Amino acid sequence: NINDDTLILLFILLDGTKNGETFAPAKDQFQEELVIRPLHSGDIYASFQFRTLWDTDFLQEGQKKVSHYRLFPKSLGQVLSKFSVQELHISFTQGFWRTMQWGQPFIPSPPGAELWVWFHDTVSDVDGNWKELTNVLSGIFCASLNFIDMTNTVQPSASFKPLGLGNATDHRFLRYATLPREIVCTENLTPWKKLLPCGSKAGLAVLMKSEKLFHSSFHSQAVHIRPICQDEQCTSKAWELRQTLNVVFDHYTSGQGKKEWSLFKMFSRTLTEACPLASSSKVYVDITDNPELFELSPATPLLSQAVVLGDRRTYSVYDLTRAETFGQLRSFNLLLRWKGDNMLRPLLHAERYVAGFGLQTGEIHTVIYNNHPYRAFPVLLMDSVPWYLQLYIHTLTVTSKSRDNKPSYIHYQPAKDRHRPHLLEMLIQLPPHSMTEVTVQFERALLKWTEYTPDPNHGFYVGSSVVSALVPSMVAMSTNFTQDQPLFSSFVPVKEESSYFVRVYTEPLLVNLPTPDFSMPYNVICLTCTVVAVGYGSFYNLLTRTFQVDEPSPPLAKRLANFIRRIRGVPLLA
Amino acid sequence: MSHDFLQMHLKAVISCLLIFLYKVHTTKAGQFFSSGHTNNWAVLVCTSRFWFNYRHVANTLSVYRSVKRLGIPDSHIVLMLADDMACNYRNPKPATVFSHKNMELNVYGDDVEVDYRGYEVTVENFLRVLTGRLPPSTPRSKRLLSDDRSNILIYLTGHGGNGFLKFQDSEEISNMELADAFEQMWQKRRYNELLFIIDTCQGASMYERFYSPNLMALASSQVGEDSLSHQPDLAIGVHLMDKYTFYLLEFLEEVHPASQANMNDLFKVCPQSQCVSTPGHRTDLFQRDPGSVLITDFFGSVRKVEITKDTINLTSPVEPPIQRSGSGDIQIESLTYVDQLPVAEIIHQKPKQKDWHPPDGFILGLWTLILLVFFQTYGIKHLKHIF
């Protein structure tokens, strides 16, 4: 049990310091955080973030291979050093994030599985490393990531810049792939939970019960690994592993229609202790709309302000490392009760759908809304379309406010059948308070009959488009990245104070391809064999058969008479 | 004389004791070491797709649950589920798969690791797992790393017919292929003993063609009979389990890691009165008597513990990492984060240098044709006018 483990840990630590020997072990620390944001529609958004920071270098050649892992999971560490990975971002999402109703998420993710990796610039065969990396990750996360191959991997030229330290931004070392069909269920959550230092036995991870987490409108779990600055001067690197889990509970399905939430209602558990290996364990509740929208209990004097997504929000902080948080009952349960209703207007919002009819042609429409009243800003739209939807790029149109809007940068890589998908990246300037529509026509290809999935009438998925933008911020953002900030506001490094970086994912598309009748080979064989047997067989018989006249044998009396006549030597009867 | 009498008495008592101890030794400890296997593996496959085949996933998960409960760890189980029922959008209770109506038993649980899922469950992958011929980048959790002292349990369920089993509504595996795969496993010494259980219609036809030694097989129905499903749940709307596996699960719930139940008890599971179909079994290829084979030889996991009283010295502690040089020595330039959307840089980005490839076949052929025609018409002597 946990008490014994902490005792043993204490002994080991004491032992190390008592000897006073030379070695200072590589410093690693673990922080866990839960942010609860009540949404205007009565739903509730909970975001778990677990961060392990480790002061070591997997990729340094001179040093011996890292072999002693403490808080950082060994399976991921070995993957990083074997494939020379500089940055790894993988997410598994079930459901679609509704920006118009819920605002912007702290960490966005598209439906299905998404994996993008920056390799170190010493790698010579990036494609080979990518293929092996996807296979290894499919074993670690129990997902079918081995379906990622050259037909759905792209190399974006301007999107997905590294989120960690790095100066080499040669996009030859970047690979991006998405599997929109990938299902997320308990078998993906189980190995994800096992990567945490405390597992699911202590700290915030005890709240992760699959029966409640998957009974939600949106569930997304992700792993982000990147090198970050160790300190203010930023002279050395530290590796950061962030495991995030975002979930939105719907008040109709999970809440039984009542706009009232508590930790017990959301997760069927309450918190009893912090993870002993964590240096900080906090629960933040967004109370910016506290008096008008909802009321929170138990109240806490600890408040914190943070600028997140261009807005200054106030948070109630509950520190789980302090015993007072748990109160008399040794258990911590929050209660939020809604009072009013309010509407939300996010500044950037995108949608995508397929237009047209029939199974031959169609049109993809991507609509991007800029809801800022007076500021225009640029967005980078990245589209990756599978090769079996053959795009006609000469029909590409970008219109804003019913006028043509020419993008200032277009990168298009055409698809090669069965080899690589289409990649279209455009930098579009969105006028203020406008709707921009990007349309492109396509034709559906007929696949070979072995390339169809076992359920082809379901349709084929096209991955989400990615819209990356620098949205003007109403509040000045802090560019000092290393000061002590809550984890949810320090994910994306901020370079300038007046805007914040956001990534919006559109819906994936489900497109029907012309599907053959799979029983036809059997039908054709049957019919051909029948025709051959009946038609050719009888024709052959007619041609090669000879006919002989066959006399019927005479009756018995006649035969006897003929026999006697033969004996007598008299001519026989006819 | 009394002294001799006493001595004789003592000798008799001692010999009796020795015989008694020897008998104990052969029954308990002897049995413990006679089975010949040192590790256990399980390959559990559900081959059906679509929501109305919920019961096949529930079948496989109940066997998975029993096998995990009896001790086989996840690293030794290869679980293949052709479709996802738990997080299917038609499941009224997400992340659950029930085996009893009224939602009594959730066989999916909170700790499940599925190795092959969705489109990965194909005949090719199944045969590759059995024979071990997987591409080198396949992770360990997807491999059957058994050796010649492994007892393997193989459980298949789905829709089947006389001599075949249907995978995902698009392909089949025949009984001859399966028999050949087991023969390959035997020749590569990939198993010590193998227990094959199949719960499909006409399941007995699948084990008719086996010819490798040390195989024992069980099926839920004979050739010409259909295996039936057990009971529907009106809230979920589909049938939850097949009859044979339902009674098999009931039987296995009584088994615990130290239980002495043997294969004869397993053969009696689900007689015709309960199952409607007649379960069959095949033991002629198996060397030991089924009565002496424990259920836990296949469903549980062997943990042979050796107790020692010697002290073992642990290796020397972790070597210290190379200390970083002090800040005053070398002027290290500070590292910076990259700009996420550098608009000016993107607009003025130079087009990527494309690698030069030699001309493709068609272009090469076309140019050769053009040159041939040219030289045909004009002759070689005009070359010097051109170059």
Side-chain angles (χ1 to χ4, degrees), chain A residues 404-420:
Chain A
D404 221 9
N405 182 352
K406 190 163 171 332
S408 32
Y409 170 79
I410 302 184
H411 171 74
Y412 173 62
Q413 192 180 53
K416 216 166 167 184
D417 274 4
R418 298 175 181 86
H419 200 260
R420 50 159 205 254

Side-chain angles (χ1 to χ4, degrees), chain B residues 359-378:
Chain B
D360 220 353
F362 173 70
I363 301 291
L364 206 62
L366 191 66
W367 276 108
T368 319
L369 187 67
I370 292 172
L371 285 171
L372 268 173
V373 168
F374 177 78
F375 287 125
Q376 190 87 340
T377 12
Y378 295 109

Side-chain angles (χ1 to χ4, degrees), chain B residues 105-347:
Chain B
L105 181 60
N106 174 15
V107 288
Y108 195 58
D110 213 16
D111 186 14
V112 57
E113 287 186 16
V114 182
D115 302 303
Y116 287 85
R117 56 185 208 157
Y119 298 129
E120 289 178 288
V121 179
T122 57
V123 174
E124 184 189 339
N125 280 350
F126 175 58
L127 292 177
R128 281 185 187 275
V129 163
L130 287 183
T131 54
R133 294 170 198 244
L134 289 159
S137 52
T138 316
R140 281 182 74 101
S141 57
K142 288 185 165 175
R143 288 181 188 259
L144 178 65
L145 297 165
S146 56
D147 51 29
D148 62 322
R149 302 288 296 282
S150 313
N151 273 12
I152 307 182
L153 164 71
I154 296 187
Y155 178 82
L156 291 173
T157 181
H159 288 288
N162 190 355
F164 68 91
L165 170 62
K166 189 168 72 158
F167 267 68
Q168 290 211 51
D169 215 22
S170 67
E171 48 182 4
E172 312 83 42
I173 186 172
S174 65
N175 48 7
M176 208 56 231
E177 282 177 354
L178 201 54
D180 287 340
F182 288 152
E183 177 63 15
Q184 276 194 53
M185 285 175 81
W186 173 251
Q187 293 197 3
K188 287 168 78 168
R189 297 287 176 264
R190 278 171 69 80
Y191 70 90
N192 176 37
E193 284 168 349
L194 200 143
L195 175 63
F196 175 77
I197 305 182
I198 185 161
D199 187 353
T200 63
C201 302
Q202 308 193 48
S205 61
M206 289 305 283
Y207 61 65
E208 273 173 358
R209 303 288 192 106
F210 288 172
Y211 55 93
S212 319
N214 286 353
L215 289 178
M216 179 158 20
L218 274 112
S220 60
S221 53
Q222 302 291 338
V223 174
E225 286 180 349
D226 284 335
S227 282
L228 302 174
S229 61
H230 187 58
Q231 45 179 222
D233 180 296
L234 295 173
I236 298 178
V238 286
H239 284 256
L240 295 181
M241 281 272 266
D242 277 332
K243 282 194 155 71
Y244 181 74
T245 313
F246 181 81
Y247 291 106
L248 181 69
L249 175 67
E250 244 182 41
F251 171 76
L252 288 173
E253 289 283 298
E254 316 270 310
V255 175
H256 56 90
S259 129
Q260 297 291 310
N262 57 34
M263 282 295 156
N264 284 334
D265 304 324
L266 194 61
F267 296 153
K268 293 198 205 105
V269 162
C270 205
Q272 196 181 12
S273 51
Q274 279 175 330
C275 251
V276 184
S277 58
T278 320
H281 55 89
R282 182 177 174 178
T283 51
D284 56 315
L285 295 165
F286 204 73
Q287 283 170 5
R288 291 192 285 152
D289 169 41
S292 69
V293 179
L294 298 176
I295 299 282
T296 50
D297 276 353
F298 289 102
F299 286 88
S301 183
V302 176
R303 304 284 170 89
K304 288 196 164 75
V305 177
E306 213 182 275
I307 301 175
T308 172
K309 292 212 169 72
D310 311 321
T311 49
I312 300 169
N313 282 324
L314 296 172
T315 50
S316 57
V318 174
E319 281 180 34
I322 298 167
Q323 294 285 20
R324 294 178 207 276
S325 51
S327 53
D329 298 343
I330 309 159
Q331 200 61 309
I332 312 164
E333 54 178 71
S334 65
L335 309 153
T336 49
Y337 288 103
V338 178
D339 206 355
Q340 287 300 304
L341 193 67
V343 178
E345 211 182 285
I346 291 173
I347 294 176

Side-chain angles (χ1 to χ4, degrees), chain A residues 181-183 185 187 210 495, chain B residues 87 108 110 117 119 337:
Chain A
R181 185 81 200 262
E182 194 63 20
I183 304 155
C185 206
E187 65 250 23
S210 55
K495 284 281 194 176
Chain B
C87 289
Y108 195 58
D110 213 16
R117 56 185 208 157
Y119 298 129
Y337 288 103

Side-chain angles (χ1 to χ4, degrees), chain A residues 148-197:
Chain A
I148 292 179
D149 55 9
M150 283 300 118
T151 59
N152 48 21
T153 311
V154 288
Q155 236 179 299
S157 65
S159 313
F160 293 103
K161 296 261 182 238
L163 281 167
L165 290 176
N167 37 16
T169 54
D170 187 356
H171 281 256
R172 281 183 297 136
F173 297 102
L174 168 64
R175 292 289 183 274
Y176 173 86
T178 167
L179 290 174
R181 185 81 200 262
E182 194 63 20
I183 304 155
V184 187
C185 206
T186 313
E187 65 250 23
N188 304 107
L189 186 63
T190 310
W192 189 92
K193 281 198 284 191
K194 288 182 182 166
L195 294 174
L196 295 171

